[in-house]
Amino acid sequence: MTHGRPLLNRRLAEFGTTIFAEMSALAVRTGAINLGQGFPDTDGPEEVREAAVRALRAGHGNQYPPGPGVPELRTAIADHQQHRYALTYDPDTEVLVTAGATEAIAASLLALLEPGDEVIALEPYYDSYAACIAMAGATRVPVTLHPEPATGTYRLDLDELRAAVTPRTRLLLLNTPHNPTGTVLTREELGAIAELACERDLLVVTDEVYEHLVFEGEHLPLAGFPGMRGRTVTIGSAGKTFSFTGWKVGWVTAPRELVSAVRSAKQFLTYVSAGPFQYAVAEALRLPDSYFDEFRADMRAKRDLLAGGLERAGFKVYRPAGTYFVTTDIRSLGESDGFAFCRALPERCGVVAIPNAVFYDHREQGAPFVRFAFCKRTDVLEEAASRLKTLAA
């Protein structure tokens, strides 16, 4: 009936069940603490949840919302960009609401790429990047962030980035703060990236969903650098900032022409989504600055709690400057295969983590590194640290 041809098309053949599904199922089966997938184990602000309830009861968004997103949310997003970064966007033509950042990434790449185009992404990278580039028929070109054991950080080699650009390069796909390494690109690095993009006439898609989770340094949107507003698609999300990841409310801010292109693809993916939640997120974005400060301080304390526990367990820890993930090197434990280590860890000490190699094209580069999420309750992190301590015995 299928004439012997594989059911899954060639572009997606390398992408099977995600490691997150595998490890989450392993956590359920073993009763282990799941520090693999990046979702909080508590809900966000009560006033934001109640805003969603009010919207449901009032009938706001229970039917199809406007294609670009409800006006209240688009205005709140534009106001957020102005208040935080002095970036001005027209809510009617330069803001697009999406089904989470994942759809924003997919729609942007499907809209802006042609088969044969090259896309440069910082490796290791969030797994949906590779799949979306493949679906667009483009070619991914990884530029590797290098671990520096002496400082416990990762570094971008700007010379490697420049050398990766060819006449076929169409787009740079950036993520800062960066998942999984926790790297926050500096003003100097972003300035050099901006110069390169302008010099080689490149588009840039920046995934900035962890913008409010920067512990060292500061978050600087690339769109604010000289020459970049007109060529940058900036992606944000409510899930990571307000701890309502299941609502799947993300957004794009960009010039009118870029938003129009992305919307052309987005309308044939979900068309619209999350109607009542859009009204709630509009209210969330207007929370006082104190909310964002307290949220960041709480997550910083959790980072330090888990990082300390991992160090006591014998891991070499790369303490993140942002996000809610911490990367560890397992070679200090006498291990070298992250996949084998993570698959055995639930039985060994009742904790689930993710092997970083899944985020690499150059698998050998990520082989000895393992990622843990610290967006969990303090008591859960304390128990995980206690269980992991048995590794040092």
Side-chain angles (χ1 to χ4, degrees), residues 38-90:
F39 59 86
D41 56 2
T42 56
D43 287 340
E46 180 64 21
E47 59 265 46
V48 177
R49 184 164 56 176
E50 285 304 309
V53 173
R54 287 200 311 274
L56 280 164
R57 287 177 173 156
H60 294 157
N62 290 338
Q63 307 307 324
Y64 294 132
V70 302
E72 291 85 348
L73 178 53
R74 285 185 278 119
T75 298
I77 292 165
D79 289 348
H80 172 272
Q81 296 301 88
Q82 179 66 49
H83 172 65
R84 290 280 169 179
Y85 312 117
L87 288 170
T88 301
Y89 291 98
D90 182 340

Side-chain angles (χ1 to χ4, degrees), residues 114-136:
E114 297 278 3
D117 286 342
E118 292 180 351
V119 179
I120 294 174
L122 302 184
E123 180 185 60
Y125 43 67
Y126 181 53
D127 61 348
S128 84
Y129 296 175
C132 291
I133 292 168
M135 285 191 284

Side-chain angles (χ1 to χ4, degrees), residues 138-156:
T139 300
R140 64 183 183 270
V141 178
V143 171
T144 307
L145 294 175
H146 298 287
E148 294 190 327
T151 60
T153 60
Y154 279 74
R155 177 183 56 85
L156 170 63

Side-chain angles (χ1 to χ4, degrees), residues 4 6 101 121 134 146 173 197 215 220 270 276 285 318 321 363 386:
H146 298 287
L173 176 54
F215 312 124
L220 300 167
T270 59
L285 284 170
Y318 287 80
R363 288 290 177 97
S386 175

Side-chain angles (χ1 to χ4, degrees), residues 67-68 93 95-98 103-104 106-112 252 256-271:
T93 60
V95 179
L96 174 66
V97 177
T98 60
E103 188 195 34
S108 296
L109 298 181
L110 289 169
L112 300 175
V252 162
R256 179 196 300 252
E257 319 82 72
L258 284 172
V259 164
S260 178
V262 175
R263 186 182 171 191
S264 294
K266 181 260 187 302
Q267 67 187 340
F268 297 114
L269 296 174
T270 59
Y271 179 52

